[in-house]
Amino acid sequence: MAERTFLLHVAGLLAVPLLAFAQEIPESELQLNLNTYFDNFDVQVIYPSLSVSRKISPSSSVNARYLVDLVTAASIRSSIHSDTTAASNGGGDDGTVDGVTSASRRGEGYAPDDVRHEVGIGFSQAIGGGVLSANGLYSKESDYRSETVAGTYAHSFLKKNSSFQVGYVRSWDVNSPKTVDWSAPKNESIYSFNYTQIWLVNLISQAIFTYDVATGLLSDPYEIVFIENADPDRYEPVHPDRRVRKAVGLDFHYKLNESSALLTGMRYYWDDWDVRSFTNSVTVARHVGETKTISVGVRNYVQAKAFFFRDSYVAPEEFMTVDSKLDRGYSNSLEFKLTIDGGGHDRAATFLEDERVQVNALVDIYHRHTRTENWFSGKRELFSLLLSLGVRYRY
Amino acid sequence: MTVKCAFHLVVLCIPVLLTGCASVEPWEKGDLADPIMQFEENPIDAGIKEHYLDYREGSVGGTPAQSGGCGCG
């Protein structure tokens, strides 16, 4: 689902804390983020988010979040059905859909091509030496709706040298493509198990296993599979209607000295569509001065293709796709992060006099190579830039 | 398939079995409490990174920042 995924997943931002490891009751905090994304497929996304948590007692906390996605894609609009049913479905002004982002077209000029809203609420409660958290979120845009609930339980033991967390996420989505007159459900269940272990006074690790079962419409109906010499020559992609995805991750954090740490991570992923991948990352984080922390990280990712991905199709098959995410490829990224805490004597701005304030800035430069050209842009190389600026205020 | 499952189970259990090796007292955890040593010091930031990767790559999971209901993948 190309960048539809991006819209819906950027939202994942709100879903993120659903499974974030929580051994302690969250403190009262307000966080405002402004994130932007650009790539050489002419996609631009701006997504501000607001998150607030409130500790209502020593053993409980509530939270709420709101996010908006504003997507603009300058690439050509296209779809098999865009001339027919789209306009009647009430989405974009001209009823067309962007072939890369799957964003519904709203109009010309500076208007975003699609807007998505998401709200979430949740709570955390200390129970029997552990922490129970539950969250719910609702996401809506012109052609997609999602409802999600999630729960986690985290517990520490052995002088808090060891801890585990079990988590469950369940979502019910409805995809209503602008270009057709039908809707299709997509349901997903994610089970997770995290285990954190302190090994030494300066070494800690975390192992994570996730088991994800998705059913329903798992393809992007806006994508087009071209079959030469066939009549017709354009087809909607057909993916299996069930996907079981598993991943194991293992992270080590090692404190090098008083001011620096080395953070390493690796992940192996496999699923029943034959996609396999391996990811590794290394980050060095360092305190600079009294209140600043910088980190530099690199990440590498390699992937095998899905069993039904073809360079081209000569005849309609049971399963067909043009989704680059299902092809063989690799990616590399470089990330810079700066955190400035309020208080201290080396503050750079007046509002940083307050020690309850924290400012975060993130720059991520990304390159992806796929074995075959993207079905829409004709490019094998994707370059993108992610910029994020956030302010946290603990009250 | 059974062998494969057993292998995964053993791999997952290794940290648990090795738990007894570690005995760090509470007053020795100063370095571990440093924010730069946290796995998810800022879940929102982690989510931003994770999800913009999710839509461009065919893999999800295996990280602290998971999501649901986002149509990813």
Side-chain angles (χ1 to χ4, degrees):
Chain A
M1 278 199 161
E3 309 206 1
R4 130 164 307 296
T5 319
F6 191 52
L7 303 190
L8 302 167
H9 54 54
V10 173
L13 296 181
L14 298 190
V16 169
L18 295 178
L19 285 184
F21 203 83
Q23 300 174 55
E24 308 291 343
I25 297 298
E27 298 293 331
S28 296
E29 180 181 278
L30 180 70
Q31 184 166 353
L32 178 65
N33 274 70
L34 178 62
N35 315 294
T36 58
Y37 169 90
F38 310 92
D39 69 25
N40 65 330
F41 284 28
D42 291 330
V43 175
Q44 300 124 42
V45 184
I46 299 174
Y47 43 111
S49 66
L50 177 66
S51 172
V52 59
S53 61
R54 176 75 179 173
K55 195 169 185 177
I56 54 178
S57 79
S59 61
S60 57
S61 173
V62 294
N63 64 75
R65 311 176 196 95
Y66 176 65
L67 175 144
V68 177
D69 287 329
L70 305 169
V71 181
T72 300
S75 49
I76 303 168
R77 277 72 192 166
S78 87
S79 173
I80 297 175
H81 311 283
S82 60
D83 301 336
T84 55
T85 57
S88 63
N89 283 342
D93 292 345
D94 59 5
T96 57
V97 173
D98 184 87
V100 173
T101 65
S102 298
S104 305
R105 183 68 174 159
R106 288 203 160 197
E108 298 300 331
Y110 295 101
D113 288 343
D114 212 345
V115 179
R116 189 181 66 81
H117 301 270
E118 182 170 300
V119 294
I121 56 172
F123 74 90
S124 295
Q125 176 70 47
I127 294 177
V131 176
L132 177 70
S133 298
N135 287 274
L137 67 87
Y138 178 76
S139 169
K140 181 84 168 67
E141 61 182 295
S142 58
D143 58 357
Y144 202 90
R145 189 180 77 241
S146 178
E147 297 164 4
T148 302
V149 294
T152 62
Y153 179 72
H155 192 89
S156 300
F157 52 98
L158 294 177
K159 300 177 186 174
K160 291 195 174 182
N161 283 321
S162 307
S163 55
F164 71 85
Q165 174 178 289
V166 290
Y168 177 66
V169 178
R170 179 75 164 87
S171 65
W172 298 266
D173 298 2
V174 177
N175 193 341
S176 307
K178 291 290 181 190
T179 51
V180 297
D181 55 3
W182 46 260
S183 296
K186 177 194 169 192
N187 298 317
E188 191 165 11
S189 295
I190 305 173
Y191 306 85
S192 70
F193 179 80
N194 294 17
Y195 183 83
T196 303
Q197 176 65 48
I198 293 173
W199 299 101
L200 301 168
V201 294
N202 57 354
L203 178 65
I204 185 170
S205 69
Q206 185 176 70
I208 304 165
F209 174 71
T210 54
Y211 183 89
D212 181 331
V213 181
T215 59
L217 183 66
L218 304 182
S219 63
D220 182 347
Y222 296 134
E223 293 182 342
I224 301 171
V225 178
F226 294 97
I227 300 179
E228 290 185 17
N229 304 320
D231 186 22
D233 63 352
R234 294 175 164 208
Y235 291 82
E236 290 178 0
V238 184
H239 293 184
D241 60 6
R242 178 181 165 87
R243 189 177 190 184
V244 179
R245 322 176 79 179
K246 290 168 268 190
V248 176
L250 183 60
D251 295 344
F252 284 94
H253 288 190
Y254 181 69
K255 192 79 181 289
L256 295 168
N257 53 46
E258 192 175 315
S259 59
S260 306
L262 179 68
L263 320 174
T264 66
M266 62 185 82
R267 175 185 71 170
Y268 180 69
Y269 166 93
W270 69 108
D271 66 31
D272 59 355
W273 289 5
D274 282 354
V275 175
R276 305 272 192 277
S277 73
F278 184 71
T279 311
N280 60 77
S281 63
V282 178
T283 299
V284 175
R286 182 177 175 82
H287 295 298
V288 180
E290 190 179 357
T291 59
K292 300 182 187 68
T293 303
I294 58 172
S295 69
V296 180
V298 293
R299 175 184 183 272
N300 171 258
Y301 171 85
V302 291
Q303 177 186 307
K305 72 180 184 69
F307 72 88
F308 55 94
F309 189 94
R310 304 272 186 276
D311 295 6
S312 61
Y313 294 88
V314 295
E317 297 186 18
E318 180 182 10
F319 302 122
M320 301 186 291
T321 187
V322 293
D323 191 342
S324 296
K325 290 204 311 290
L326 298 177
D327 191 10
R328 192 169 75 215
Y330 63 83
S331 71
N332 292 292
S333 63
L334 176 63
E335 176 192 293
F336 301 93
K337 187 176 176 183
L338 169 67
T339 300
I340 304 175
D341 290 307
H345 298 94
D346 58 348
R347 54 185 175 267
T350 307
F351 72 96
L352 287 173
E353 290 178 3
D354 191 334
E355 62 182 13
R356 295 171 296 182
V357 174
Q358 183 186 76
V359 175
N360 297 287
L362 171 76
V363 177
D364 190 288
I365 303 164
Y366 178 88
H367 166 240
R368 182 192 73 184
H369 169 84
T370 48
R371 186 179 55 91
T372 55
E373 297 171 347
N374 178 270
W375 74 278
F376 189 82
S377 69
K379 297 173 182 174
R380 294 181 183 180
E381 314 299 329
L382 169 72
F383 294 95
S384 71
L385 181 65
L386 175 74
L387 303 173
S388 175
L389 185 63
V391 178
R392 301 172 78 174
Y393 179 72
R394 302 179 179 92
Y395 63 94
Chain B
M1 191 62 181
T2 307
V3 174
K4 211 170 177 180
C5 290
F7 172 75
H8 294 148
L9 193 62
V10 168
V11 169
L12 288 172
C13 287
I14 286 175
V16 180
L17 298 172
L18 293 176
T19 295
C21 299
S23 181
V24 178
E25 300 298 333
W27 57 86
E28 297 177 313
K29 295 180 179 175
D31 279 342
L32 297 170
D34 189 324
I36 63 175
M37 289 289 283
Q38 304 304 305
F39 285 104
E40 287 310 325
E41 208 269 327
N42 189 335
I44 300 293
D45 271 359
I48 291 168
K49 289 187 293 180
E50 200 60 39
H51 290 280
Y52 103 106
L53 289 170
D54 284 353
Y55 100 99
R56 294 173 306 185
E57 298 171 351
S59 310
V60 296
T63 68
Q66 303 302 310
S67 70
C70 63
C72 304

